[in-house]
């Protein structure tokens, strides 16, 4: 994560020239719209939405009755029931509130690695989450980040913002990194990011940018020397954090053999070595040790942890893993 | 030290860098982009930590291959290890016993040899504890008196028994023998105790020897030559030739005298300039019969060369008996021999005497010639048999053949320079020396031998298998020469009873030179007296005796039939009489060169290298298998 990052979306890109239908087909979108949302956490959003909160309030949907107490608003007295039972009862309604979904997408160089790149896969996953959230009238925000910079799409609500999100995502890998999106994208340089890695970005997002709700982190979680500390920075009482760690098949089972010059896709560094079965075994042992550390850190922090290969169909990941709220995260 | 028999084999060592080069060649690396090197670095670190042994095996593989190539390359060069065959602290002590060592060094009569003996004793005392010493003398011929001996007492006793000789020294021979004795011995030392009165630029230098010089510069006058010859002016007159040498740096005048058979022939004063020589030719009016003495009467440092002696052979000393029915040619040829007294007994052909008569007749003759006379069984003596053979010999029954010529001759001294190509022989006895053990043929036809000879202890024979009168051999010029050479061979060379070497009458040898005496065939014992008066009785198994010890100058005497015979032994050697030191101590090194005193053997090393290379090959194969299994 120390190499030049994948370029953030360009501000000058014509919004209509890139449609999200080039990314998702219609059948997939229809299935997404029918999905129950991925979390069962009660909505905590301050604005009215389509999700019924357990807290009674000013919603339209009847919840239950309770005896009248002095001081209650007499307008909520159900006179029919009171007359029948000869006691005053108040009619209660469920509060209808929205929720916030904030997606953090890693666009560091290592995310571009793979036959099916992790960035593409993560971009599609973020788009899918946006479709789901906006279809359910939830608020959706998107932040892409790399080592020193991040770009954020502020909270949006309503399906009509979906194309904004998709356009933002489709422009992530465009080359012009110096421009900002004139509409909604905001470029932020996090103070003290130099050398801070993910920790500063995550602190910024949790402390200032994310509303209470769901935070989905999409990253390969490679390269940063202290991934555990970075993940712990996401802990917040108001956030349900879902960590989606994306890996490619080339990383999970590299098909390397012989005398090679291994080149780091991020830094360009290289190692000259002979790859044999012993080295592959050691590599896999190191990789899985790292993955286990990440997973254990997530468990300890109360995060949901999902690990997926980019070879897994995106539909399967969303419908099977993210669609089932309490499904246990596991290996792809 | 290592040497190489085939140095070109070392060229194969260029394979060493080639092996290293081949080992360093790696397949071309292919680029492989990975998302992160993080886990690869860790994996490589751990793998390499676990594979140190593998790397060691790989390096060991290379080292073994290099060692293998090195061994093979060296083996092809056929190296050999030059080693000394023996290591010891042995030494050889050469003590000079030549005549010059008799030189007086002071008025008390102490000689150079006395000093040399004292110095040699010091050398013996200074021997290391495990040191061994061999004592040898350097006279006319070197003589080893001991083996390599570590017993100091025995060495000292041997040294005390050594006496100087009157011989001319031959240091080269002594050095050669000493070095041959020290060859193959490390830390060997060669001590030479000498007066240095010999040529330092001799064929074998004194380098590599510890030279211990004794003596001091002294003056010397010497008789360096003494001969007697028949005078050219008178039949019975002789001339004595004497050369006197002054080796001092001052002129010398000294009386000189020459005596023959106790008669003073000449007495005069001779004057010699410094480092000069003079020759005296003195006529002798009498026929010398016994001995002569030439003397320079001077009291110089070396006395032995002030006198020279000479013995003379008796005038009529060879006696030949001819038994023949009559043979003009043979008798004439025998009478023509010089210094020969011939007795002829004419017997009818085929007549025989009794054995006792014949034995009595034969006794006292140097050679007995049987011409067509039956021969009894022969005892000691020298015999020439013409067309006859002893009783019982194969010649008696041999058949006679037709007329023949001479087809071949022996190349011995008897037949040398004889031309027998015109000789025709009628009815020879056809005998064969091949069937007669001990006989040697002199000349022969294609069918058989015509003349043979035999040498046995106490007896010599020459047999002619044909009648001289029935051939043209006596008419040939080769006949008298054949008779003379036959008689000379039969009557024994050397100091025979007849003449001395060269045909003159003088009988002298150089001191240290052995001489052989010939006696009448029936002589059984003789008494030989040395110059210092010691007499030695010698029992004779053969009619000759060799006197080996002539180390003292003077007259050696013996008597036969009441006649006294003299043999002179003289130094008469100018180099030896020059008692001036010609070798300096500085010319000699104190450490013998290893190449001269140490035996160097070349032990081939290539078989060991080949075996070692085979072992390396097996080890390399084993390591390769282990490395492969470990991988």
């Amino acid at each position: 994560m120390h190499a030049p990052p994948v370029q953030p979306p360009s501000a000058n890109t014509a919004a209509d020239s890139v449609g999200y239908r080039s990314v998702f087909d219609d059948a997939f979108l229809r299935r997404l719209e029918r999905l129950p949302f991925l979390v069962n956490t009660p909505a905590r959003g301050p604005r009215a939405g389509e999700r019924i909160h357990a807290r009674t309030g000013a919603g339209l949907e009847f919840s239950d009755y309770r005896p009248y107490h002095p001081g209650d608003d007499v307008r909520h007295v159900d006179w029919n029931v009171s007359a029948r039972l000869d006691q005053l009862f108040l009619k209660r309604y469920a509060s209808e509130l929205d929720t916030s979904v904030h997606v953090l997408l890693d666009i560091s160089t290592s995310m571009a690695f793979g036959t099916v790149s992790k960035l593409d896969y993560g971009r599609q996953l973020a788009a899918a989450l946006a479709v789901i959230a906006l279809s359910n009238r939830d608020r959706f925000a998107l932040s892409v980040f790399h080592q020193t910079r991040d770009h954020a799409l502020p909270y949006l609500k309503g399906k009509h913002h979906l194309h904004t999100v998709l356009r933002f995502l489709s422009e992530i890998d465009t080359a012009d990194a110096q421009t900002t999106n004139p509409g909604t994208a905001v470029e932020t340089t996090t103070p003290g990011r130099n050398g801070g890695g993910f920790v500063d970005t995550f602190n910024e997002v949790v402390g200032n940018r994310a509303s209470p709700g769901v935070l989905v982190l999409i990253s390969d979680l490679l390269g940063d020397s202290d991934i555990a500390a970075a993940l712990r920075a996401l802990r917040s009482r108001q956030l349900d954090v879902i960590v989606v760690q994306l890996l490619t098949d080339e990383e999970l089972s590299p098909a390397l053999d012989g005398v090679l010059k291994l080149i780091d896709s991020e830094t360009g560094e290289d190692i000259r070595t002979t790859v044999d079965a012993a080295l592959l075994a050691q590599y896999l042992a190191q990789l899985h040790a790292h993955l286990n550390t990440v997973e254990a850190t997530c468990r300890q922090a109360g995060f949901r942890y999902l690990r997926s290969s980019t070879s897994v169909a995106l539909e399967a990941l969303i419908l099977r893993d993210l669609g089932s709220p309490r499904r246990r995260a596991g290996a792809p | 030290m290592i040497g190489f028999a085939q140095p070109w084999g070392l060229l194969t060592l260029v394979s060493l860098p080639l092996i290293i080069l081949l080992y360093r060649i790696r397949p071309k690396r292919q680029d492989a982009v990975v998302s992160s090197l993080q886990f690869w670095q860790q994996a490589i670190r751990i793998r390499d930590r676990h594979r140190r042994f593998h790397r060691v095996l790989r390096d060991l593989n290379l080292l073994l291959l290099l060692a293998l190539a090195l061994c093979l390359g060296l083996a092809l060069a056929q190296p050999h290890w030059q080693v000394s065959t023996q290591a010891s602290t042995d030494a050889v002590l050469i003590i000079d016993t030549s005549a010059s060592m008799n030189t007086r060094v002071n008025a008390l009569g102490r000689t150079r040899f006395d000093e040399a003996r004292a110095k040699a004793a010091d050398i013996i005392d200074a021997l290391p504890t495990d040191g061994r010493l061999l004592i040898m003398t350097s006279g006319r011929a070197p003589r080893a008196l001991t083996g390599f001996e570590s017993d100091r007492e025995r060495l000292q006793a041997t040294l005390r028994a050594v006496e100087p000789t009157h011989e001319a020294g031959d240091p080269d021979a002594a050095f050669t023998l000493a070095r041959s004795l020290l060859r193959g011995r490390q830390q060997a030392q060669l001590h030479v105790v000498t007066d240095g009165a010999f040529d330092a630029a001799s064929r074998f230098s004194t380098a590599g020897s510890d030279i211990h010089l004794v003596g001091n510069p002294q003056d010397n006058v010497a008789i360096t030559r003494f001969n007697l010859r028949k005078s050219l002016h008178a039949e019975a007159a002789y001339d004595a030739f004497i050369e006197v040498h002054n080796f001092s740096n001052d002129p010398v005048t000294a009386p000189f005298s020459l005596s023959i058979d106790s008669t003073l022939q000449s007495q005069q004063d001779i004057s010699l300039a410094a480092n000069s020589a003079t020759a005296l030719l003195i006529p002798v009016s009498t026929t010398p019969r016994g001995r002569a003495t030439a003397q320079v009467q001077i009291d110089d440092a070396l006395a032995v060369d002030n006198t020279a002696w000479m013995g003379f052979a008796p005038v009529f000393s060879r006696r030949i008996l001819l038994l023949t029915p009559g043979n003009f040619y043979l008798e004439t040829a025998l009478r023509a021999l010089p210094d020969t007294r011939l007795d002829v007994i004419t017997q009818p052909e085929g007549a025989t005497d009794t054995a006792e008569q014949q034995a009595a007749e034969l006794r006292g003759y140097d050679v007995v010639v049987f011409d067509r006379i039956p021969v009894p069984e022969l005892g000691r003596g020298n015999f020439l048999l013409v067309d006859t053979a002893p009783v019982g010999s194969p010649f008696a029954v041999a058949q006679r053949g037709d007329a023949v010529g001479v087809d071949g001759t022996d190349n011995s001294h008897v037949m040398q320079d004889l031309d027998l190509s015109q000789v025709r022989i009628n009815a020879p006895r056809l005998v064969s020396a091949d069937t007669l053990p001990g006989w040697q043929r002199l000349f022969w036809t294609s069918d058989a031998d015509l003349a043979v000879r035999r040498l046995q202890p106490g007896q010599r024979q020459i047999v002619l298998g044909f009648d001289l009168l029935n051939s043209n051999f006596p008419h040939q010029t080769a006949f008298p020469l054949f008779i003379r050479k036959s008689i000379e061979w039969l009557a024994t060379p050397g100091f025979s009873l007849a003449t001395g070497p060269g045909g003159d009458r003088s009988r002298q040898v150089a001191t240290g030179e052995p001489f052989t005496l010939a006696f009448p065939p029936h002589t059984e014992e003789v008494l030989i007296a040395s110059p210092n008066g010691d007499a030695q009785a010698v029992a004779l198994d053969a009619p000759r005796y060799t006197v080996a010890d002539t180390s003292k100058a003077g007259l050696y005497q013996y008597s036969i039939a009441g006649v006294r015979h003299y043999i002179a032994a003289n130094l008469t050697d100018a180099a030896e009489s020059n008692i001036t030191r010609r070798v300096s101590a500085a010319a000699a090194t104190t450490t013998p060169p290893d190449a001269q005193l140490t035996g160097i053997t070349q032990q081939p090393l290539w078989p060991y290298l080949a075996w070692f290379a085979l072992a390396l090959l097996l080890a390399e194969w084993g390591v390769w298998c282990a490395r492969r299994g470990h991988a």
Side-chain angles (χ1 to χ4, degrees):
Chain A
M1 288 196 176
H2 305 290
V6 174
Q7 298 304 317
S10 169
N12 292 333
T13 305
D16 296 333
S17 64
V18 180
Y20 58 83
R21 292 186 187 281
S22 64
V23 182
F24 304 105
D25 58 31
D26 292 339
F28 181 72
L29 291 175
R30 282 196 295 273
R31 291 177 65 186
L32 289 179
E33 290 172 358
R34 288 195 296 270
L35 278 175
F37 195 54
L38 62 166
V39 293
N40 62 347
T41 305
R44 296 190 184 103
R47 302 173 189 176
E50 292 186 349
R51 303 187 67 81
I52 299 172
H53 196 273
R55 187 180 66 182
T56 56
L60 299 178
E61 190 172 343
F62 171 74
S63 174
D64 63 354
Y65 296 96
R66 73 169 174 84
Y68 173 79
H69 295 289
D72 290 339
D73 189 352
V74 296
R75 289 180 298 175
H76 295 295
V77 174
D78 188 338
W79 296 107
N80 291 331
V81 174
S82 299
R84 196 179 303 132
L85 297 177
D86 198 17
Q87 186 180 353
L88 292 175
F89 284 92
L90 293 183
K91 194 174 184 177
R92 304 180 64 185
Y93 298 91
S95 177
E96 293 181 357
L97 300 175
D98 63 353
T99 189
S100 299
V101 177
H102 198 120
V103 173
L104 270 171
L105 177 59
D106 183 3
I107 59 170
S108 60
T109 312
S110 65
M111 289 294 287
F113 180 76
T115 306
V116 178
S117 76
K118 291 176 282 186
L119 179 62
D120 287 345
Y121 197 89
R123 185 168 52 190
Q124 292 179 10
L125 178 57
L129 293 176
V131 168
I132 294 172
L134 295 177
S135 297
N136 287 286
R137 297 186 62 199
D138 289 323
R139 298 193 312 148
F140 180 82
L142 177 60
S143 296
V144 295
F145 65 96
H146 53 80
Q147 185 65 25
T148 57
R149 287 173 176 272
D150 58 71
H151 295 259
L153 195 63
Y155 278 102
L156 304 171
K157 186 171 183 180
K159 289 182 66 176
H160 61 282
H161 288 298
L162 184 57
H163 74 279
T164 304
V165 175
L166 296 180
R167 188 186 64 193
F168 182 86
L169 287 172
S170 65
E171 293 176 353
I172 284 175
D173 58 349
T174 50
D176 189 0
Q178 302 302 319
T179 59
T180 56
N181 191 326
T184 55
V186 176
E187 182 178 2
T188 304
T189 302
T190 305
R193 276 290 296 274
N194 290 335
F198 289 163
V199 177
D200 295 335
T201 298
F202 293 171
N203 283 332
E204 168 68 14
V205 170
V206 172
N208 303 325
R209 211 177 299 167
S211 299
V214 178
L215 177 68
V216 180
L217 171 63
I218 302 173
S219 172
D220 57 3
L221 297 176
L222 298 178
D224 195 284
S225 58
D226 196 359
I227 290 294
L231 290 174
R232 282 193 291 270
L234 292 175
R235 284 189 300 189
S236 170
R237 290 194 303 165
Q238 295 182 330
L239 286 174
D240 285 327
V241 178
I242 300 174
V243 176
V244 180
Q245 186 172 18
L246 294 179
L247 297 168
T248 64
D249 282 351
E250 289 89 340
E251 292 169 330
L252 291 169
S253 57
L256 299 177
D257 189 23
V259 182
L260 299 174
K261 183 168 77 171
L262 302 177
I263 303 173
D264 192 311
S265 62
E266 285 194 48
T267 63
E269 291 181 70
D270 62 72
I271 295 177
R272 296 159 194 267
T273 188
T274 300
V275 178
D276 50 15
L279 185 61
L280 283 176
Q282 281 298 328
Y283 166 79
L284 292 176
Q286 296 298 317
L287 175 63
H288 287 293
H290 175 74
L291 297 180
N292 291 337
T293 300
V294 171
E295 183 175 359
T297 303
C298 291
R299 300 269 181 232
Q300 290 173 0
F303 303 157
R304 279 187 71 189
Y305 172 77
L306 295 174
R307 184 191 310 156
S308 177
S309 167
T310 57
S311 62
V312 175
L314 186 64
E315 296 90 336
L317 173 66
I318 294 172
L319 298 177
R320 186 186 63 195
D321 296 330
L322 292 177
S324 177
R326 287 302 175 191
R327 180 169 294 174
R328 184 177 182 273
Chain B
M1 185 177 178
I2 291 181
F4 295 96
Q6 301 289 344
W8 55 264
L10 294 175
L11 291 177
T12 57
L13 295 183
V14 299
S15 63
L16 296 180
L18 287 179
I19 290 175
I20 296 175
L21 191 65
L22 289 174
Y23 237 77
R24 292 185 64 85
I25 289 179
R26 293 284 185 271
K28 185 179 181 182
R29 294 181 184 277
Q30 294 182 335
D31 292 348
V33 179
V34 295
S35 61
S36 172
L37 290 178
Q38 176 185 359
F39 306 121
W40 289 107
Q41 288 171 333
Q42 295 172 356
I44 290 170
R45 197 158 45 243
I46 293 173
R47 182 195 66 172
D48 290 349
R49 191 187 312 144
H50 291 161
R51 295 182 71 180
R52 279 177 187 164
F53 179 63
H54 184 264
R55 193 179 301 117
V56 168
L57 288 182
R58 187 186 63 185
D59 296 340
L60 186 59
N61 232 213
L62 173 61
L63 291 176
L64 288 173
L65 271 179
L66 290 176
L68 176 62
L70 181 65
C71 283
L72 289 178
L74 290 176
L76 284 175
Q78 296 186 16
H80 48 256
W81 181 255
Q82 294 180 340
V83 295
S84 299
T85 55
Q86 186 177 356
S88 69
T89 55
D90 294 340
V92 167
L93 169 64
I94 298 176
I95 184 165
D96 191 351
T97 57
S98 64
S100 63
M101 294 297 286
N102 294 283
T103 304
R104 287 199 318 263
V105 295
N106 58 24
L108 299 177
R110 184 177 173 83
T111 64
R112 290 179 176 178
F113 188 80
D114 294 332
E115 292 184 347
R117 182 151 41 198
K119 190 150 289 186
D122 294 341
I123 292 172
I124 293 174
D125 292 338
L127 275 179
T129 307
D130 59 341
R132 299 188 306 168
L133 183 71
L134 181 145
I135 299 178
M136 57 183 291
T137 58
S138 170
R140 179 182 180 83
R143 283 198 306 153
L145 304 181
T146 66
F148 283 98
E149 182 65 62
S150 58
D151 188 339
R152 307 289 189 275
E153 292 301 322
R154 193 171 300 175
L155 290 169
Q156 294 286 9
T158 302
L159 181 63
R160 284 192 293 271
V162 176
E163 291 293 337
T165 67
H166 296 162
E167 302 168 0
D170 185 1
D172 292 346
F175 287 132
T176 302
L177 177 60
R179 289 195 172 106
S180 67
L181 292 170
L182 289 173
R183 197 172 305 280
R185 301 168 192 270
Q186 286 184 338
Q187 302 175 1
Q189 278 190 302
L190 174 58
H191 300 281
V192 182
V193 185
T194 178
D195 58 357
F198 55 88
D199 188 2
S202 60
R203 188 158 48 93
F204 297 96
S205 71
T206 58
S209 307
D210 287 340
I211 303 294
H212 307 270
L213 294 175
V214 296
N216 48 14
Q218 297 287 341
D219 296 335
N220 187 36
V221 173
I223 296 175
T224 55
R225 193 169 299 175
F226 180 30
N227 282 322
L228 196 71
R229 67 183 184 189
K230 279 190 175 179
S231 174
L232 299 176
H233 308 292
E235 179 66 20
Y238 289 82
D239 290 331
F241 176 78
I242 302 102
E243 182 183 74
V244 183
H245 210 126
N246 176 21
F247 295 102
S248 63
N249 294 323
D250 300 317
V252 170
T253 300
F256 169 81
S257 63
L258 172 65
S259 300
I260 295 179
D261 297 331
S262 303
T263 303
L264 185 63
Q265 295 291 325
S266 173
Q267 188 169 20
Q268 57 184 299
D269 289 340
I270 56 175
S271 297
L272 296 166
N275 295 309
S276 67
T278 184
L280 303 176
L281 189 63
I282 301 174
V284 177
S285 58
T286 180
T287 299
R289 295 182 180 278
R291 58 186 175 178
T293 303
Q295 187 175 23
V296 178
Q297 296 168 358
I298 186 172
D299 185 21
D300 57 7
L302 183 61
V304 66
D305 54 5
N306 293 341
T307 306
W309 297 267
M310 187 170 295
F312 299 100
V315 175
F316 303 108
S317 53
R318 177 188 288 156
R319 297 182 64 199
I320 297 176
L321 173 63
L322 172 61
L323 298 170
T324 177
N327 192 329
F328 169 77
Y329 302 106
L330 182 58
E331 184 177 343
T332 303
L334 291 174
R335 289 194 184 280
L337 295 177
D339 300 329
T340 301
R341 191 180 76 185
L342 178 65
D343 294 334
V344 179
I345 300 177
T346 303
Q347 291 185 345
E349 188 170 356
T352 59
D353 290 340
T354 62
E356 291 76 12
Q357 287 176 324
Q358 288 183 336
E361 290 173 354
L362 302 184
R363 191 179 302 275
Y365 287 96
D366 296 320
V367 179
V368 178
V369 181
F370 291 91
D371 178 31
R372 291 166 291 156
I373 296 297
V375 179
E377 189 170 353
L378 299 175
R380 295 164 61 100
N382 306 316
F383 305 97
L384 173 62
L385 283 61
V386 180
D387 196 26
T388 185
V391 175
S393 75
F395 302 111
V397 294
Q399 299 298 317
R400 291 185 177 273
D402 299 331
V404 297
V406 176
D407 296 328
T409 60
D410 184 31
N411 57 358
S412 64
H413 172 72
V414 176
M415 300 304 298
Q416 199 170 19
D417 301 327
L418 295 184
D419 180 12
L420 303 184
S421 60
Q422 302 301 320
V423 173
R424 298 296 298 176
I425 299 171
N426 295 321
R429 295 173 187 263
L430 299 178
V431 297
S432 175
D434 294 337
T435 60
L436 306 173
W439 289 87
Q440 179 183 358
R441 59 185 186 175
L442 292 174
F443 54 91
W444 56 88
T445 70
S446 58
D447 298 327
D449 299 325
L450 298 172
V452 295
R453 64 175 176 172
R454 182 169 69 171
L455 173 63
Q456 284 185 312
Q459 186 188 70
R460 293 187 179 205
Q461 291 186 51
I462 290 179
V463 178
L464 297 181
F466 57 94
D467 184 1
L468 290 173
L469 299 180
N470 204 14
S471 71
N472 65 351
F473 187 28
H475 302 159
Q476 305 294 321
T477 55
F479 178 71
L481 192 57
F482 172 78
I483 293 298
R484 173 172 179 166
K485 288 190 174 185
S486 296
I487 295 300
E488 285 179 353
W489 181 77
L490 289 170
T492 315
F495 288 129
S496 68
L497 296 179
T499 60
D504 61 31
R505 309 191 60 80
S506 62
R507 305 171 77 179
Q508 67 169 336
V509 296
T511 45
E513 180 183 348
F515 59 87
T516 300
L517 300 174
F519 303 98
H522 302 285
T523 307
E524 295 179 350
E525 189 181 76
V526 66
L527 195 66
I528 301 175
S530 62
N532 56 9
D534 296 337
Q536 179 187 9
V538 178
L540 299 175
D541 295 329
R544 71 178 59 83
Y545 177 76
T546 300
V547 179
D549 183 12
T550 58
S551 61
K552 298 297 181 185
L555 289 169
Y556 293 78
Q557 309 174 35
Y558 62 95
S559 296
I560 297 177
V563 179
R564 184 165 293 274
H565 297 255
Y566 298 94
I567 307 293
N570 292 317
L571 174 58
T572 54
D573 186 289
E576 187 63 32
S577 293
N578 183 3
I579 58 177
T580 305
R581 178 181 298 172
R582 276 108 69 196
V583 173
S584 66
T589 59
T590 56
T591 304
D594 290 342
Q596 291 182 346
L597 299 183
T598 302
I600 302 298
T601 61
Q602 295 182 347
Q603 185 173 5
L605 296 179
W606 70 265
Y608 304 105
L609 287 170
W611 281 111
F612 190 55
L614 181 61
L616 286 174
L617 184 64
L618 293 175
E620 199 273 341
W621 177 74
V623 169
W624 183 80
C625 289
R627 180 181 159 196
R628 201 173 171 192
H630 194 264

